[in-house]
Amino acid sequence: MKIWAVANQKGGVGKTTTSISLSGLASSRQHKTLLVDLDPHGSMTSYMGYDPDTLKEGVYQLFQRAANQEPFLISSLIKKTQFEYLDILPASTALATLDRQLGTQNGMGLVLSRALLSVQDIYEHVFIDCPPMLGILMINALAACDDLLMPVQTEFLALKGLDRMLDTLTMLNKTRRRPLNYTILPTMFDRRTRSSIESLRAIHQNYPREKLSNTVIPIDTKFREASRQGKPISVYNASSKGAVSYSVLFDDLTKAVSV
Ligand SMILES: Nc1ncnc2c1ncn2[C@@H]1O[C@H](COP(=O)(O)OP(=O)(O)O)[C@@H](O)[C@H]1O
Ligand SMILES: [Mg+2]
């Protein structure tokens, strides 16, 4: 089982889209895949057909039970999606209160990591969609994952969010045995605009080459259409440029795993 966290301390950069696109590809290749929605907005949960406002079982209950030291099975909180090979551990809007409730309680940083251990023989890939703020949920994601994907929107000011995320990573790496590997993924690239071209150039100039994805995700209106239909882009329109670029990315990322 390989666990990916998809994170950036900025909203609207393509985190949820990246999590769903990659998990859609993995599951359509018959790799058993789990999505974990850690964002209290629950956009990924709604995308997959569940209502984060009324959800009774999900990530929130996982943390509650861990805090109360109640025995539980993570598999009882996992739900099926309409796609074969793709399951989800959904988010409810109640998650927004988690930091206030449990943020100061010791031992809450490894809840997700421990819970995922019990499903490690079931899933080949796990994609964790992170909230845009640093708190107990993001800490859990970064502690649980083997690798971090950082989508960065190719527009002015995008690098600020990226720097903030890299500072967070530096801080967290102090408590890890080995530094967490990460990949910067430029998203929503529009070659007709100066802001896209210049920010992509700035990303290349400012960050280590080996940390940059070879694939750049283009801007593609098909993403919005796919999300309206609740389908990963590769299912909605496999030949769209967005789907093709995530497919190249998926091959790159999974190739790196098997070496
Ligand atoms: N490559 C892209 N091209 C066009 N629209 C995109 C692309 N990636 C994401 N979007 C759209 O941008 C919005 C924000 O993306 P989302 O993945 O929800 O960001 P985040 O999870 O980082 O907040 C969504 O409406 C999504 O459909
Ligand atoms: Mg999101």
Side-chain angles (χ1 to χ4, degrees):
M1 185 170 86
K2 167 106 181 178
I3 306 175
W4 300 91
V6 183
N8 185 328
Q9 274 153 271
K10 196 169 181 307
V13 299
K15 294 182 291 296
T16 301
T17 303
T18 298
S19 309
I20 290 177
S21 301
L22 294 175
S23 68
L25 286 156
S27 58
S28 60
R29 291 173 200 194
Q30 307 188 343
H31 301 177
K32 193 100 170 103
T33 303
L34 177 66
L35 282 169
V36 179
D37 191 356
L38 291 191
D39 190 343
H41 286 121
S43 357
M44 186 161 84
T45 297
S46 344
Y47 201 121
M48 289 295 143
Y50 293 98
D51 180 1
D53 287 323
T54 55
L55 198 78
K56 297 275 182 297
E57 300 268 79
V59 174
Y60 182 74
Q61 284 69 24
L62 172 71
F63 278 84
Q64 284 288 317
R65 287 176 199 167
N68 299 332
Q69 299 183 344
E70 285 171 42
F72 67 93
L73 282 173
I74 186 185
S75 48
S76 66
L77 305 175
I78 291 174
K79 298 191 183 308
K80 287 191 183 328
T81 70
Q82 58 166 307
F83 308 99
E84 216 189 338
Y85 298 99
L86 184 59
D87 294 344
I88 184 167
L89 175 58
S92 53
T93 38
L95 266 187
T97 62
L98 209 64
D99 265 293
R100 199 160 15 96
Q101 290 176 359
L102 308 173
T104 53
Q105 191 167 331
N106 275 341
M108 296 307 287
L110 294 174
V111 173
L112 184 63
S113 161
R114 292 199 184 112
L116 289 174
L117 275 181
S118 63
V119 292
Q120 62 180 342
D121 296 331
I122 302 176
Y123 296 102
E124 209 167 320
H125 305 277
V126 179
F127 292 97
I128 309 174
D129 190 19
C130 290
M133 57 276 182
L134 178 60
I136 192 167
L137 290 162
M138 194 187 298
I139 303 247
N140 265 271
L142 297 181
C145 71
D146 303 305
D147 240 301
L148 170 63
L149 263 177
M150 284 191 257
V152 182
Q153 189 177 354
T154 48
E155 48 124 44
F156 293 125
L157 301 180
L159 301 193
K160 273 219 173 99
L162 180 57
D163 284 338
R164 206 173 317 137
M165 191 61 224
L166 288 170
D167 288 345
T168 300
L169 196 58
T170 308
M171 182 189 81
L172 279 165
N173 275 338
K174 290 184 185 141
T175 64
R176 291 177 63 100
R177 238 173 291 149
R178 272 190 301 138
L180 182 58
N181 189 40
Y182 68 89
T183 303
I184 297 170
L185 175 66
T187 61
M188 301 186 210
F189 181 71
D190 184 349
R191 59 189 166 80
R192 295 162 305 183
T193 68
R194 214 183 74 191
S195 80
S196 260
I197 291 168
E198 285 183 5
S199 55
L200 187 61
R201 188 180 301 137
I203 292 172
H204 276 272
Q205 281 166 353
N206 291 296
Y207 301 95
R209 181 68 201 95
E210 73 275 10
K211 297 297 186 196
L212 284 185
S213 154
N214 292 322
T215 314
V216 171
I217 307 299
I219 194 138
D220 187 342
T221 51
K222 296 278 185 299
F223 283 106
R224 274 211 180 95
E225 296 169 20
S227 90
R228 242 175 266 136
Q229 294 208 1
K231 291 178 180 161
I233 190 154
S234 57
V235 174
Y236 175 70
N237 186 332
S239 58
S240 60
K241 54 189 173 136
V244 170
S245 53
Y246 272 110
S247 172
V248 173
L249 174 69
F250 180 79
D251 288 341
D252 257 9
L253 293 174
T254 47
K255 217 183 302 145
V257 175
S258 56
V259 171

